[in-house]
């Protein structure tokens, strides 16, 4: 974390010195763009996303999806059952017992590469394919970039509900413990009776209730995103048949994203994660 903060500081200093601090933090700073995109005002705003905003949206969507996958048994089977068996052990001859530290470093690198590169590219390609097909159907190939950035705006509610679903149980547990944290923020046992009460209380939710709430959140986010992408298509003029096909493609895209989200939610969790 310290290394990332230092890298962020150096990039910010360099960028501000090159184009000026006002322009840098308004148009290029990651955190400023992040908090500008994921707001109620931006959800209501029907303008297309800017290129950097689009990168952030797809990156956050991909990281949330991947975060759910890497906590599952599927991810362990992909790496240890597939990549390790066929490449690291089969081709390079690495052994788990003898080369554990090296394999651990490779595993961390493999995760980071999948998180930062592969996962976002998958979503970008999915929306790029949809935008190209839609532009071809509506005969607006000269407006392809605008269509792509308009369609990408529909990802915002999906990202918001993904995060809410992913961290639902954690947020609930922390919300219940907030009064105790306010009374004893440093955990020094200022009021022993309250500290003992906090230790004896159960802070977990019914898993079945949490699962249903997560499903509803994911469905709501994709429904909201579907409305936004259908509105983006509706801004283009074409024949009724072409518009119907384009809207059907948007529906198929949202159903695919919903299926991915629910599939990730249904994956068996690695008990050691």
């Amino acid at each position: 974390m310290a290394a990332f903060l230092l890298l962020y500081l150096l990039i910010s200093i360099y960028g501000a010195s090159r184009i000026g601090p006002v322009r840098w933090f308004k148009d290029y700073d990651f955190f400023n763009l992040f908090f500008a995109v994921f707001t109620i005002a931006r959800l209501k705003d029907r303008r297309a996303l800017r290129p950097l905003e689009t990168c952030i949206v797809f990156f956050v969507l991909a990281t949330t999806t991947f975060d759910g996958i890497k906590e599952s048994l599927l991810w362990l089977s992909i790496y240890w059952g597939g990549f390790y068996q066929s490449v690291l052990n089969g081709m390079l001859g690495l052994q788990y017992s003898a080369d554990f530290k090296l394999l651990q470093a490779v595993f961390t690198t493999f995760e980071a590469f999948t998180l930062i590169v592969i996962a976002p590219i998958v979503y970008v390609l999915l929306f790029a394919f949809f935008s190209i097909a839609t532009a071809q159907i509506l005969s607006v190939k000269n407006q392809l970039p605008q269509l792509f950035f308009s369609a990408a705006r529909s990802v915002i509610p999906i990202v918001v509900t993904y995060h809410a679903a992913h961290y639902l149980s954690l947020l609930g547990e922390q919300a219940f413990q907030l009064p105790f944290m306010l009374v004893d923020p440093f955990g020094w046992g200022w009021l022993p009776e309250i500290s003992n009460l906090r230790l004896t209380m159960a802070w977990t939710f019914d898993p079945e209730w949490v699962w249903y709430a997560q499903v509803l959140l994911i469905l709501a986010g994709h429904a909201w995103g579907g409305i936004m992408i259908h509105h983006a298509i509706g801004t283009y003029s074409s024949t009724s048949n072409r518009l119907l096909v384009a809207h059907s493609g948007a529906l198929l895209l949202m159903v695919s994203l919903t299926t991915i989200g629910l599939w990730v939610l249904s994956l068996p969790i690695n008990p050691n994660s």
Side-chain angles (χ1 to χ4, degrees), residues 1-11:
M1 180 60 71
F4 279 110
L5 289 176
L6 179 60
L7 178 62
Y8 168 74
L9 176 62
L10 294 176
I11 292 175

Side-chain angles (χ1 to χ4, degrees), residues 143-192:
Q143 302 181 51
L144 176 59
Q146 177 72 15
L147 176 60
F148 175 79
F149 294 127
S150 297
R153 195 175 66 88
S154 65
V155 178
I156 296 177
I158 297 174
V159 170
V160 172
T161 53
Y162 264 24
H163 273 74
H166 189 73
Y167 299 107
L168 179 63
S169 57
L170 176 63
L171 289 173
E173 293 167 10
Q174 294 299 312
F176 278 125
Q177 297 198 48
L178 182 60
F180 297 93
M181 295 178 181
L182 292 175
V183 172
D184 187 10
F186 300 105
W188 289 347
W190 289 345
L191 298 174

Side-chain angles (χ1 to χ4, degrees), residues 180 193-203:
F180 297 93
E193 296 82 4
I194 294 181
S195 298
N196 293 334
L197 177 63
R198 177 183 178 183
L199 293 174
T200 56
M201 294 181 68
W203 302 107

